[in-house]
Amino acid sequence: MTPRGGGRGFRSRLQAVPGVRAVSTYRREWLLKDLVAGAVLTTLLVPQGMAYAELAGLPSITGLYTTILCLLGYAVCGPSRILVLGPDSSLGPMIAATVLPLVASGGDPDRAVALASMLAVMVAGIMILASVAKLGFIADLVSKPTMIGYMNGLALTILIGQLPKLLGFKVEADNLIGECVGVVEKVADGAVVPAAAAVGLGGIVLILLLQRFLPKVPAVLVMVVLAIAAAGAFDLGEHGVGLVGVLPAGFPPFTVPDVRLGDLAPLFAGALGIALVSLADTISNASAFAARTGQEVRGNQEMAGVGVANLAAALFQGFPVSTSGSRTAVAERAGARSQLTGVVGAGLIVLMLVLAPGLFRNLPQPALAAVVITASLSLADVPGAARLWHQRRTEFLLCCAAFAGVALLGVLQGIAIAVALSVLNVFRRAWWPYNTVLGRVPGLEGYHDIRSYPRAGQLPGLVVYRFDAPLFFANAKTFRDQVRRLAGADPRPAWIVIAAEPMTDVDTTAADVLADLDEELNAEGVHLVFAELKDPVRRKIERYELTRTIDPDHFFPTVEAAVTAFRLRTGADWTPGPRPPGAVQPPDASRPPDASPPHGTSPPPTDGR
């Protein structure tokens, strides 16, 4: 007998499934809009799915299988109402870089499909586990400058890699430089197929023009239809142009990926990189479209939804997928209101495979290359890199390093370099944080950076010093050396007041360094004084027993309180800072002026690095 209330518990758990919740809250007035949006979306899903499958080194039909199942999987478990998933141009090269080395030259396509499907299983597992562990913050491991560099390198890699297909020949190479050399040699040897080049280059120009001047027109669909018509009218297959051919008919069969045990380790390494890029894409796209539709972003649910979509694709001969900003934008512009749009798209693709598998048999391969190349151009952000050059050179160098990693070492190595550079940049900022001496500025409350205000007043015998980072093992010696330098000034200060508000932590290594430093300074008649130390950090200092060396009376709630205590003990009075060349010395710099700085002026930045 079912316990009373058990039915309600089951229903509440069922309602927690996003797809069930979407059905129960569906509005009748959305139906027509979703049906129309689904039909419009399909015109983009089919050519892009086929093109991105070939970009991943897989048969074009697997792109359609992947599209169908990932849309259905996300419709059940994805929280976003309109986010569209599918094969992605940024993942294609990563899939190829992982799978193709495991497949011998000219190897079995079925083995490549099985490896790609197992890769999708691993990506699904990583995403679902990350969702359960609430690890959505991992997407933040890649900073924007390194991601710009990675995407620029990826765009260049895709562009060069698609040129042979665009121009009608093949190039055997293992890296970007080899591909560039191969393309140049083939062009010089006259290997270009004129008809293929005309279709490919014409397709790129047509897509870019339509996207620029008629953004509401489905540019990819128009180009594909014209390319198919041209192939039939001019018999392009007889002029050396590769065609897609008739696709296998019917719904994809349920297939458990069968791979060798030795393939699992390299597949897992690739899955980690793919999962990271997919996670970053998912969070950024979900945030962007949620802000426009008034939805709340559920990062962990999004990861679970993408994980289920990957698993569904993997069990039907698919490969890893991610969210797509371009396809989601198409669905949104077409009036999509729910995931029924994606379900309609998946259903129409199934109907095409069952009823008209030969619909795209005359689609030229250069047209697919044109689709991929135009997609790669949207990945690149050259203005973003130029902006970094003008705004912050160190981050521009990070961008260039990530770009070089992708271009010279490969896409998987490039994402590893991007993550490593981002983490190292965070560590560098904590290792060598900004630090400065503070002084009193006439007309401004508080204490301010003397680099920004060279005339800031100082108290003889006292230095106010700010170190803008938590104290931990990596930067404790940097802090010690800076304080030693201040203590060795002539005349020697009696107090060095640490403006400790930025110090959010002190670890045991830093505590030992502080203890030794305080004893060393005390022997020289200099005392360390702390102001604005956070309560949790103060409790750690007491737990480390640092108050045995640092006088408990040398902890103050504010810098002003510490300065006031010093003045009461010593009778010191303010003196002006160094006078800038050409400046006029005021009659009494120790007395605060009556006027504030001129209206509209602002201090220079305190951190110019």
Side-chain angles (χ1 to χ4, degrees):
M1 182 174 178
T2 304
R4 185 172 298 176
R8 287 194 300 270
F10 174 76
R11 285 194 297 272
S12 64
R13 286 192 295 270
L14 196 60
Q15 282 291 323
V17 178
V20 175
R21 188 168 58 246
V23 171
S24 64
T25 59
Y26 193 81
R27 300 179 186 177
R28 184 179 301 176
E29 61 266 23
W30 292 351
L31 180 59
L32 180 59
K33 293 181 178 179
D34 280 339
L35 292 175
V36 172
V40 172
L41 181 62
T42 306
T43 64
L44 186 63
L45 294 175
V46 172
Q48 283 195 345
M50 297 169 66
Y52 296 161
E54 297 201 354
L55 177 62
L58 301 169
S60 56
I61 186 63
T62 60
L64 300 184
Y65 293 166
T66 301
T67 301
I68 294 168
L69 273 302
C70 76
L71 288 174
L72 296 177
Y74 188 81
V76 174
C77 296
S80 173
R81 286 204 302 264
I82 65 168
L83 212 57
V84 177
L85 272 67
D88 189 70
S89 58
S90 63
L91 298 189
M94 301 180 75
I95 298 169
T98 305
V99 170
L100 295 186
L102 302 177
V103 181
S105 178
D108 184 5
D110 291 340
R111 173 164 159 73
V113 172
L115 289 167
S117 296
M118 179 56 72
L119 188 63
V121 171
M122 291 181 173
V123 171
I126 292 170
M127 296 291 278
I128 293 172
L129 288 175
S131 171
V132 173
K134 302 186 185 304
L135 298 180
F137 67 89
I138 291 177
D140 298 332
L141 287 179
V142 184
S143 66
K144 186 174 182 179
T146 50
M147 183 55 80
I148 289 175
Y150 172 77
M151 286 299 181
N152 285 341
L154 190 62
L156 181 62
T157 300
I158 294 173
L159 175 63
I160 299 300
Q162 291 295 305
L163 282 179
K165 184 188 293 186
L166 188 83
L167 301 176
F169 54 77
K170 293 184 178 180
V171 170
E172 298 293 336
D174 296 328
N175 53 56
L176 183 65
I177 294 177
E179 287 181 339
C180 289
V181 172
V183 168
V184 172
E185 289 178 346
K186 289 284 188 178
V187 171
D189 292 342
V192 176
V193 177
V199 171
L201 295 174
I204 292 174
V205 172
L206 179 61
I207 290 174
L208 294 179
L209 287 176
L210 289 177
Q211 289 177 342
R212 175 68 176 85
F213 297 105
L214 297 171
K216 293 186 177 181
V217 173
V220 171
L221 175 64
V222 171
M223 188 277 292
V224 165
V225 170
L226 291 178
I228 292 174
F234 300 104
D235 199 12
L236 295 181
E238 297 298 322
H239 292 80
V241 179
L243 303 177
V244 169
V246 178
L247 299 174
F251 192 78
F254 177 86
T255 308
V256 177
D258 183 17
V259 300
R260 301 167 187 166
L261 188 62
D263 295 332
L264 296 180
L267 285 176
F268 184 72
L272 286 174
I274 291 171
L276 180 60
V277 173
S278 180
L279 175 58
D281 275 349
T282 298
I283 298 301
S284 61
N285 284 321
S287 300
F289 285 99
R292 291 159 62 172
T293 59
Q295 285 187 276
E296 179 184 351
V297 178
R298 302 179 180 91
N300 293 310
Q301 286 190 17
E302 288 291 356
M303 285 189 289
V306 175
V308 170
N310 274 279
L311 183 60
L315 297 177
F316 290 86
Q317 301 185 18
F319 51 85
V321 299
S322 180
T323 57
S324 170
S326 62
R327 275 162 281 182
T328 304
V330 168
E332 183 188 43
R333 288 198 300 267
R337 291 295 183 269
S338 75
Q339 284 299 324
L340 180 59
T341 296
V343 173
V344 171
L348 290 176
I349 296 174
V350 171
L351 287 177
M352 184 198 76
L353 292 177
V354 172
L355 302 178
L359 186 63
F360 288 91
R361 65 181 181 276
N362 287 331
L363 175 60
Q365 292 285 356
L368 291 180
V371 173
V372 174
I373 288 174
T374 52
S376 74
L377 297 178
S378 67
L379 296 177
D381 188 5
V382 176
R387 186 169 61 251
L388 291 175
W389 168 261
H390 294 292
Q391 293 177 345
R392 192 157 184 166
R393 299 292 171 85
T394 55
E395 295 195 345
F396 175 77
L397 293 177
L398 289 174
C399 175
C400 291
F403 173 85
V406 177
L408 300 179
L409 301 179
V411 290
L412 290 179
Q413 296 87 338
I415 191 62
I417 288 172
V419 173
L421 289 174
S422 297
V423 173
L424 285 175
N425 191 36
V426 172
F427 190 71
R428 178 191 66 84
R429 293 180 182 180
W431 192 355
W432 296 305
Y434 187 71
N435 60 99
T436 188
V437 172
L438 306 180
R440 193 181 68 165
V441 179
L444 292 179
E445 293 184 1
Y447 296 84
H448 303 275
D449 191 341
I450 64 171
R451 296 176 186 173
S452 298
Y453 299 93
R455 294 193 60 212
Q458 302 289 313
L459 276 178
L462 178 138
V463 174
V464 181
Y465 174 65
R466 192 183 72 210
F467 189 80
D468 290 349
L471 270 182
F472 67 114
F473 66 92
N475 64 21
K477 291 182 174 59
T478 301
F479 174 83
R480 179 198 63 192
D481 294 343
Q482 293 297 322
V483 172
R484 279 177 175 172
R485 183 181 60 80
L486 295 173
D490 186 21
R492 187 182 300 275
W495 277 19
I496 298 179
V497 176
I498 308 299
E501 193 272 337
M503 289 185 181
T504 55
D505 193 17
V506 175
D507 71 1
T508 54
T509 302
D512 291 340
V513 170
L514 279 177
D516 294 340
L517 178 63
D518 188 62
E519 290 180 352
E520 175 188 324
L521 295 180
N522 287 341
E524 299 173 359
V526 181
H527 300 285
L528 274 182
V529 176
F530 290 85
E532 301 181 355
L533 196 66
K534 291 178 169 58
D535 289 342
V537 182
R538 173 69 184 273
R539 287 192 290 269
K540 288 181 181 179
I541 284 180
E542 292 172 350
R543 190 162 62 248
Y544 299 150
E545 298 182 345
L546 277 177
T547 49
R548 291 184 305 173
T549 58
I550 302 176
D551 189 341
D553 292 334
H554 286 171
F555 291 89
F556 294 90
T558 65
V559 173
E560 185 63 45
V563 170
T564 300
F566 180 79
R567 294 185 67 186
L568 290 175
R569 296 185 189 190
T570 64
D573 204 357
W574 291 100
T575 60
R579 182 174 59 181
V584 178
Q585 180 74 16
D588 185 2
S590 65
R591 180 172 57 86
D594 295 331
S596 299
H599 179 70
T601 61
S602 59
T606 57
D607 184 357
R609 291 176 304 152

